[in-house]
Amino acid sequence: LQKSLNETFGADKYSEARKEVLTNMFSRPMQMALYFCTGVLEDETLFRHYALNVPFYTHFTSPIRRYADVMVHRLLSASLGASSPIKMEKEAIQRQADHCNDRKMASKRVQELSADLFFSIFVRVK
């Protein structure tokens, strides 16, 4: 897909913008990753990472970026015995995960709408 986009859009001053917008539009149908508390799911096959083909997976970045990453760091640290156990019930952790998922989806939707607006304006101008 990337090779096709590179060949299609050439090298004018708008080619990178066109390619970026369309790449974002092509990736929309992909299923978004969701945060969840493993303690509330009984089916361990739901823990697997499809693309990496691993049975258990967690993802996090720097804990200064997002609250979900702070939670993952704290839970991972506690599970490894490097810090005190978390004093939250699994249902409370799942509520936090649900909230993070809701905010992530809202942010993604705003990003998509912004790309749609840019693309519409670009098409109108051209």
Side-chain angles (χ1 to χ4, degrees), residues 5-119:
L5 288 174
N6 286 338
E7 291 171 358
T8 302
F9 292 114
D12 67 359
K13 67 180 183 177
Y14 296 112
S15 63
E16 284 299 313
R18 284 193 301 269
K19 187 170 45 173
E20 185 176 334
V21 169
L22 288 176
T23 299
N24 286 336
M25 292 171 80
F26 291 144
S27 67
R28 281 186 195 169
M30 298 173 79
Q31 184 178 2
M32 244 170 79
L34 296 174
Y35 295 106
F36 63 91
C37 176
T38 58
V40 300
L41 297 178
E42 293 181 18
D43 184 1
E44 287 190 5
T45 63
L46 297 173
F47 300 177
R48 78 177 293 103
H49 189 287
Y50 177 78
L52 296 176
N53 194 27
V54 292
F56 298 98
Y57 177 81
T58 191
H59 169 82
F60 55 88
T61 60
S62 169
I64 63 170
R65 288 191 56 213
R66 298 181 302 206
Y67 183 69
D69 298 319
V70 172
M71 289 293 296
V72 172
H73 275 255
R74 289 177 182 167
L75 292 165
L76 187 57
S77 178
S79 72
L80 295 173
S83 64
S84 302
I86 302 295
K87 295 178 178 154
M88 286 178 73
E89 296 293 323
K90 59 187 175 186
E91 293 79 13
I93 294 171
Q94 184 58 50
R95 283 192 300 276
Q96 290 294 323
D98 291 339
H99 178 72
C100 289
N101 290 330
D102 290 343
R103 297 294 84 218
K104 185 169 69 167
M105 284 185 221
S107 173
K108 183 171 175 54
R109 183 68 180 139
V110 168
Q111 180 182 3
E112 290 170 352
L113 291 170
S114 174
D116 288 349
L117 177 62
F118 172 80
F119 189 67

